[in-house]
Amino acid sequence: MHTNVEQIFSFIDTESTFIEEQQSGTYLEGVVYALELWITNKKVPTIQEAEKEQIRKAVQLAILKGMKKSVQVNHQMTPDAIGLLVGYFVKEMAKDKKELAILDPALGTGNLLYTIMNILPTENHAFGVEIDELLIQLSAQTAELLACDIQLFRQDALKPLLIDPVDIVVSDLPVGYYPDEETAKDYFLHSEEEMSYAHHLFMEQSMKHVKPGGYLYFLVPDTIFESKQAPKLHKFIKENGWIQAVIQFPSTIFKTKGQEKSLLILQKKSEELNAPREVLLAKVPNMSNKEAMELFFQKIDIWQEQNAK
Ligand code: SAM
């Protein structure tokens, strides 16, 4: 007896492999084709009623397979281990909210955003921005299968966005130099000496699109506060927000050395709120160590309780 995840994956895999073998497209384009068949009811996987998480996981497995076959720099899906942990923080910190508007300005396949939305018990409305056509197509189809309330924008997220301020921003930021210097000039965080860092500009754009008191959850390089452009970033954060937490992930999650990321949680300043009593600085233990993980979550709960006082 196959599970729903296996059945869905096998359905997408068969159709995608067919497209690849016929040479009418890549495996990833085949995933788009398979999802289209499913959405339009032309062909569907043989499943019992599937839960949202089962659909997300199966689609994710197929996309990962496609990304491995034809490697492209911007085709980087946020791993589940990270998504689940970010989801834990978002859920804990939004406990008192009945409804959330969430933005991911670097949506990619949507895996990070949908992982979080599947964890949240609240009613949510999301906005996603992505520059890559294939990725936004995949994320749109996944959203449809998950019956997820989302508005998508295919554009450069650093150009003006027609999105009202949201409660929360979550994003696995694209790291590196931003090539459009003309657009970069409009940002406080642009660099005078060299090309500006895209991940810094994304943080500024996100801050602009979050409500006062709203939270921003960014996956950023471990070394973000050590770079040449870091002093300006420090100044920007100090003027506009509060650092709530910096959480380092174990390097084993990341495929290549030098790609390690941390979760940086910021809150946009608000006149009605005070700065956090204590910034949480933590390192996620080896995730297969159950005891160490329990201790880690206890530490977060204590910090969260103290901060809420
Ligand atoms: N969280 C995503 C997921 O789970 O699939 C992965 C995000 S990936 C690390 C960063 C994404 O930013 C890539 O999909 C890339 O195409 C997108 N990106 C890079 N520059 C962009 C820009 N200027 N505007 C919008 N999206 C951009």
Side-chain angles (χ1 to χ4, degrees):
M1 180 80 175
H2 292 289
T3 64
N4 278 345
V5 175
E6 282 165 349
Q7 291 285 26
I8 298 170
F9 172 74
S10 151
F11 164 77
I12 304 172
D13 188 48
T14 309
E15 300 301 332
S16 310
T17 307
F18 170 75
I19 291 292
E20 199 185 22
E21 281 172 4
Q22 295 284 307
Q23 296 186 337
S24 42
T26 61
Y27 184 94
L28 262 190
E29 285 162 347
V31 176
V32 172
Y33 169 75
L35 297 181
E36 196 56 33
L37 289 177
W38 186 4
I39 290 167
T40 52
N41 253 324
K42 291 200 178 100
K43 238 184 197 180
V44 296
T46 334
I47 44 172
Q48 308 297 327
E49 263 178 50
E51 289 164 14
K52 286 186 179 190
E53 263 305 87
Q54 294 173 328
I55 299 176
R56 185 192 64 77
K57 278 188 184 148
V59 173
Q60 177 205 212
L61 286 174
I63 296 178
L64 272 178
K65 183 169 174 184
M67 284 183 169
K68 271 193 195 138
K69 279 172 176 265
S70 50
V71 180
Q72 286 196 33
V73 258
N74 62 331
H75 285 181
Q76 290 168 350
M77 192 188 256
T78 309
D80 262 12
I82 292 185
L84 292 169
L85 211 87
V86 180
Y88 178 84
F89 276 96
V90 175
K91 188 176 161 200
E92 284 297 301
M93 295 171 85
K95 259 187 198 154
D96 54 339
K97 296 261 183 189
K98 286 201 185 77
E99 215 178 313
L100 287 173
I102 312 176
L103 163 68
D104 184 344
L107 184 70
T109 62
N111 194 47
L112 171 68
L113 181 64
Y114 304 146
T115 307
I116 293 168
M117 289 178 89
N118 280 353
I119 290 174
L120 290 172
T122 42
E123 287 276 322
N124 307 305
H125 176 65
F127 302 91
V129 188
E130 171 56 50
I131 203 161
D132 184 289
E133 192 168 355
L134 181 63
L135 296 183
I136 203 160
Q137 220 174 338
L138 287 165
S139 62
Q141 291 177 313
T142 313
E144 185 145 356
L145 291 167
L146 298 175
C148 172
D149 182 2
I150 188 167
Q151 255 171 284
L152 298 174
F153 300 81
R154 193 204 153 209
Q155 65 160 92
D156 179 342
L158 297 175
K159 296 256 165 94
L161 294 176
L162 281 171
I163 298 175
D164 285 335
V166 292
D167 301 295
I168 281 177
V169 174
V170 286
S171 202
D172 185 355
L173 301 178
V175 176
Y177 291 113
Y178 178 59
D180 181 350
E181 297 204 44
E182 221 22 64
T183 301
K185 275 193 199 135
D186 294 337
Y187 285 79
F188 170 84
L189 285 174
H190 81 273
S191 167
E192 303 282 356
E193 290 87 41
E194 54 176 357
M195 270 165 116
S196 308
Y197 280 150
H199 45 298
H200 288 194
L201 305 183
F202 263 83
M203 289 167 79
E204 183 173 339
Q205 178 73 316
S206 303
M207 193 62 97
K208 191 169 156 193
H209 284 274
V210 77
K211 295 175 190 166
Y215 290 104
L216 306 104
Y217 301 82
F218 295 125
L219 293 164
V220 295
D222 271 359
T223 51
I224 190 154
F225 292 118
E226 291 157 27
S227 79
K228 209 166 121 192
Q229 296 187 24
K232 218 171 172 185
L233 178 64
H234 265 300
K235 190 163 184 268
F236 174 80
I237 296 179
K238 212 167 160 201
E239 277 172 16
N240 295 281
W242 297 304
I243 297 185
Q244 286 274 354
V246 184
I247 295 126
Q248 213 182 334
F249 292 103
S251 54
T252 43
I253 298 184
F254 305 94
K255 277 186 270 168
T256 342
K257 217 177 151 31
Q259 279 195 342
E260 290 89 349
K261 289 195 177 179
S262 293
L263 171 64
L264 172 65
I265 308 180
L266 304 178
Q267 184 174 29
K268 183 166 176 168
K269 275 190 186 167
S270 151
E271 281 174 11
E272 284 137 43
L273 297 169
N274 297 318
R277 288 166 176 239
E278 191 197 333
V279 176
L280 174 71
L281 298 174
K283 205 169 172 174
V284 182
N286 181 337
M287 290 185 169
S288 52
N289 184 338
K290 223 175 139 207
E291 258 175 46
M293 280 310 282
E294 269 169 22
L295 276 174
F296 173 76
F297 285 122
Q298 271 173 24
K299 185 175 170 182
I300 294 171
D301 287 348
I302 294 169
W303 166 76
Q304 172 67 10
E305 266 171 39
Q306 302 262 315
N307 251 4
K309 274 182 195 163

